[in-house]
Amino acid sequence: MEQTTAKSESELPTLPDDVIVEMILPRLPVKPLTRFKCVSKFWLSTISSNRFAKTHLKFSSLSNTKSVIYKELYSFRNRGSYLSFDERYDMKEFVTLDDKYSNNNDPRYTRRARVVGSCNGLLCMFDSDVLEFTLWNPVTKQYHNAGGPEFNYVLNDDVAGVGFGYIPSIDDYKIGCLVHSEEGVCRVSVYSLKTGEWKETSCIEEKGFISIDRRYYSVLVDDTIYWSPIVRRESEDQESHIVGLNLVNGLLTKVPLGNLLTGYFDAKVFERKGCLSLCCNSVVIGRRRRTKHVSDVWTLKNNGDKQSWEKSFSINIKGVILLYIFESGKCLVSRHLNQLMLLNLSQAEYVEVTVIWQRHRRGHVYHRAIADVWDYTESLISPSGISARVVNEDDRETGERVEENA
């Protein structure tokens, strides 16, 4: 009987390694994959490789679950929140990053570091007190200290803009940083994760060029990060423009706006369907002097041509502020500073308005619910770059090396 059982077990079919590695493991969530590294040395080397991380990211990007990082502008109590939706855009989770991804009370995060970018599962954190950046993979608990620009930073200097993104053409993650100096110039520096070095790429006079609002928020379109423009008063002679930084050549660029911002009091950049978009807000006085808040979303069809801005859609629900545009066209918005809503737009008409979250009243006022929002996907991408040792949050090296040119 025992011989029969042993024989039957030996005859059980087994899947080839290439099927397991290429078809099964990449479809699994990150957390079980980190545990599966203990199965064998082969699984450890496979799951730890840069090639596998990229393959896993491709499958994760196809998931019907959508997640974003949500950071309130006026909240310094946490580094941000994790907000996720299922395939029907029903909210699954809305928790702080610290509750979602425990950091074991890591002393590095007691400082006021904030999220300034998200790409392929990596969060770019910035501590403005010491001008230092940290790349962090929350789900794998790995981090990489990227430091800051290598020039003499003084207290009177001011950060004009920061941004983060991945450049597929050169397979590199880069951080851009613009700093006003006491000398009346703007120093531009770019960090490359592949080389692990900061490089000052240009130094220009500030006057008439650097016009950036929301300096800790930017969007990446092609190889360039863009910041929201300052909406000038009509009495000012200077023409409005959007400032961009090409992360490949490190040069600043201007996208002219012409008279687009006339009549608006605020504008914020977005990425929509691979194009640079701009949400412009205005207040319209209607009948009986009632005010109505209108948000117009414009899309740039031809970069560099100020005449190629086309209005994509408008949102004119009272008290609504646009926070994020999903690829599906759904819009995440805040309303009256205390609600989060999803708008489903179809030919500029509202076919669905869903309240997904309501903030509880604190005393006689609501806490402000104006936020910057970034796309987020859990991944195995290492924040330490190519040929670098992976370091966990407990300061212990894992002994794993990321494959070079994988």
Side-chain angles (χ1 to χ4, degrees):
M1 183 68 180
E2 292 180 357
Q3 291 180 352
T4 303
T5 303
K7 182 178 181 180
S8 62
E9 289 180 353
S10 64
E11 292 178 352
L12 289 175
T14 57
L15 293 174
D17 288 341
D18 58 340
V19 173
I20 296 175
V21 171
E22 297 176 10
M23 302 301 296
I24 298 178
L25 293 182
R27 288 178 164 85
L28 300 179
V30 175
K31 288 187 177 180
L33 286 173
T34 57
R35 295 196 296 268
F36 291 164
K37 291 181 180 181
C38 301
V39 172
S40 66
K41 290 184 178 181
F42 173 71
W43 280 36
L44 171 63
S45 62
T46 297
I47 298 174
S48 302
S49 69
N50 195 27
R51 181 181 288 109
F52 181 84
K54 291 180 179 180
T55 303
H56 178 268
L57 180 63
K58 291 179 181 179
F59 282 103
S60 298
S61 301
L62 299 175
S63 171
N64 291 325
T65 300
K66 306 299 178 184
S67 304
V68 295
I69 300 298
Y70 175 98
K71 180 68 176 74
E72 292 184 355
L73 298 187
Y74 305 105
S75 174
F76 300 99
R77 292 171 301 170
N78 61 69
R79 291 175 285 166
S81 299
Y82 171 88
L83 175 60
S84 66
F85 304 88
D86 62 18
E87 65 277 3
R88 295 177 300 175
Y89 281 87
D90 292 331
M91 189 174 72
K92 293 176 59 181
E93 286 185 274
F94 190 20
V95 297
T96 66
L97 283 175
D98 291 334
D99 289 337
K100 175 71 175 177
Y101 305 108
S102 174
N103 60 25
N104 300 320
N105 297 318
D106 194 309
R108 280 183 298 273
Y109 299 127
T110 58
R111 299 177 299 190
R112 292 169 60 176
R114 68 181 77 210
V115 178
V116 294
S118 171
C119 187
N120 294 345
L122 299 182
L123 299 185
C124 183
M125 314 293 295
F126 177 58
D127 187 341
S128 57
D129 291 339
V130 292
L131 197 67
E132 283 189 357
F133 294 84
T134 299
L135 296 181
W136 177 43
N137 186 322
V139 68
T140 63
K141 300 182 183 296
Q142 298 167 350
Y143 76 95
H144 172 70
N145 184 6
E150 297 179 355
F151 54 79
N152 294 327
Y153 177 73
V154 297
L155 293 178
N156 291 334
D157 290 347
D158 187 27
V159 175
V162 296
F164 171 65
Y166 173 68
I167 311 300
S169 60
I170 57 177
D171 189 24
D172 197 7
Y173 292 86
K174 294 203 171 187
I175 302 172
C177 182
L178 280 58
V179 175
H180 295 299
S181 73
E182 285 185 316
E183 303 158 359
V185 297
C186 179
R187 297 183 180 275
V188 182
S189 299
V190 175
Y191 175 81
S192 166
L193 183 59
K194 182 176 288 188
T195 64
E197 297 178 349
W198 282 93
K199 181 180 179 181
E200 185 172 322
T201 57
S202 61
C203 182
I204 64 172
E205 293 185 4
E206 299 178 18
K207 187 176 181 180
F209 195 99
I210 304 301
S211 176
I212 294 175
D213 195 13
R214 304 172 83 99
R215 56 186 174 173
Y216 297 125
Y217 171 83
S218 63
V219 296
L220 178 69
V221 179
D222 295 329
D223 297 336
T224 303
I225 50 176
Y226 296 95
W227 291 274
S228 301
I230 293 176
V231 178
R232 303 183 184 278
R233 296 187 297 270
E234 294 183 10
S235 58
E236 297 185 57
D237 296 332
Q238 293 181 345
E239 188 178 81
S240 296
H241 58 268
I242 296 175
V243 176
L245 171 61
N246 187 299
L247 292 178
V248 177
N249 59 30
L251 300 179
L252 290 176
T253 182
K254 289 198 301 185
V255 179
L257 293 173
N259 298 321
L260 180 64
L261 298 184
T262 302
Y264 296 111
F265 67 86
D266 178 62
K268 182 179 180 181
V269 291
F270 289 89
E271 183 274 335
R272 182 172 180 265
K273 298 181 178 179
C275 297
L276 178 63
S277 296
L278 190 65
C279 179
C280 303
N281 302 305
S282 65
V283 175
V284 178
I285 300 178
R287 295 180 180 180
R288 299 180 182 178
R289 301 191 65 80
R290 291 181 177 177
T291 59
K292 180 173 64 173
H293 184 277
V294 178
S295 297
D296 296 325
V297 176
W298 299 79
T299 301
L300 182 64
K301 299 299 182 181
N302 182 17
N303 198 357
D305 182 4
K306 62 184 177 184
Q307 303 298 328
S308 68
W309 287 95
E310 295 182 3
K311 185 184 291 188
S312 301
F313 60 90
S314 296
I315 301 175
N316 39 14
I317 299 178
K318 185 177 180 180
V320 160
I321 297 174
L322 180 63
L323 300 178
Y324 185 77
I325 304 174
F326 290 94
E327 290 184 3
S328 63
K330 287 182 180 288
C331 297
L332 178 66
V333 302
S334 67
R335 187 181 186 188
H336 298 312
L337 307 180
N338 68 321
Q339 286 181 333
L340 287 182
M341 301 170 55
L342 278 177
L343 303 184
N344 190 1
L345 306 180
S346 176
Q347 298 179 352
E349 296 293 334
Y350 300 110
V351 296
E352 182 183 1
V353 179
T354 306
V355 177
I356 61 173
W357 178 76
Q358 173 77 49
R359 185 182 295 279
H360 297 295
R361 186 184 290 271
R362 297 176 180 174
H364 299 288
V365 297
Y366 289 105
H367 186 73
R368 300 175 69 85
I370 303 176
D372 289 329
V373 180
W374 295 270
D375 178 64
Y376 177 70
T377 302
E378 289 188 345
S379 79
L380 291 164
I381 298 296
S382 170
S384 300
I386 297 175
S387 292
R389 280 198 175 271
V390 178
V391 182
N392 287 324
E393 289 185 349
D394 56 3
D395 284 328
R396 291 182 302 175
E397 292 185 349
T398 64
E400 306 162 16
R401 281 190 179 273
V402 182
E403 290 183 353
E404 191 166 8
N405 299 325

